[in-house]
Amino acid sequence: MDSKKLLVITALAIGGGVSGCAVPQLPSQQAEQLTVAKAQREIKIGMTSEQVVEALGSPNMVTTDSQRRETWVYDKVSTNVQYSKSNGGVWLLLFGAGGSAGSLSQNQRTLTIIVKFNSDGRVRDFAYRTSSF
């Protein structure tokens, strides 16, 4: 096999491997994300704990106060990383020519939802906080 054919086969193999790395998010996974809007829309004073679990899922932390009333905390952190790369093209890289440059951008967002229950196990109050840095 000559070197040109070997080079083409190698390029196709690398390209096929790279294109298979991305995993798209399914619509059902997107619907499950915890957001401020979801908390505002779903959580109501007087809801039962079962209804809260159905709306938001299981909490990250459960505490009780001096009167034995539960407080549920939902704490989510997301990191967004963006990498932008510029280069001379795949063929130039395969032949050992060309240059590349890139930049990395990263930010984090937090969402904390606090749900307080009364002694009957119903929502008496809730609050949420967000931050981005």
Side-chain angles (χ1 to χ4, degrees):
M1 184 179 293
D2 66 16
S3 62
K4 287 185 181 180
K5 286 182 182 178
L6 182 59
L7 186 60
V8 170
I9 291 171
T10 304
L12 290 174
I14 291 172
V18 171
S19 67
C21 292
V23 178
Q25 201 172 36
L26 301 174
S28 63
Q29 291 172 322
Q30 292 172 344
E32 296 298 321
Q33 292 180 352
L34 188 59
T35 63
V36 171
K38 185 170 185 166
Q40 291 173 331
R41 184 177 61 248
E42 301 285 336
I43 303 302
K44 306 288 183 222
I45 303 296
M47 290 178 75
T48 64
S49 58
E50 291 84 10
Q51 291 171 317
V52 174
V53 168
E54 188 175 311
L56 301 181
S58 298
N60 296 86
M61 184 175 23
V62 177
T63 62
T64 56
D65 64 12
S66 61
Q67 297 175 6
R68 307 295 299 157
R69 298 177 299 186
E70 288 188 350
T71 298
W72 291 6
V73 178
Y74 295 83
D75 198 19
K76 304 294 179 187
V77 178
S78 65
T79 302
N80 183 22
V81 178
Q82 295 178 344
Y83 181 71
S84 175
K85 183 174 181 180
S86 170
N87 59 41
V90 174
W91 293 108
L92 291 176
L93 290 175
L94 289 175
F95 288 111
S100 66
S103 65
L104 180 67
S105 164
Q106 177 176 327
N107 63 22
Q108 288 190 322
R109 296 176 56 101
T110 65
L111 169 60
T112 303
I113 300 172
I114 301 167
V115 182
K116 295 182 179 183
F117 292 90
N118 62 21
S119 56
D120 295 331
R122 295 191 173 270
V123 175
R124 67 181 168 91
D125 193 18
F126 69 97
Y128 49 88
R129 294 175 182 84
T130 63
S131 66
S132 181
F133 52 94

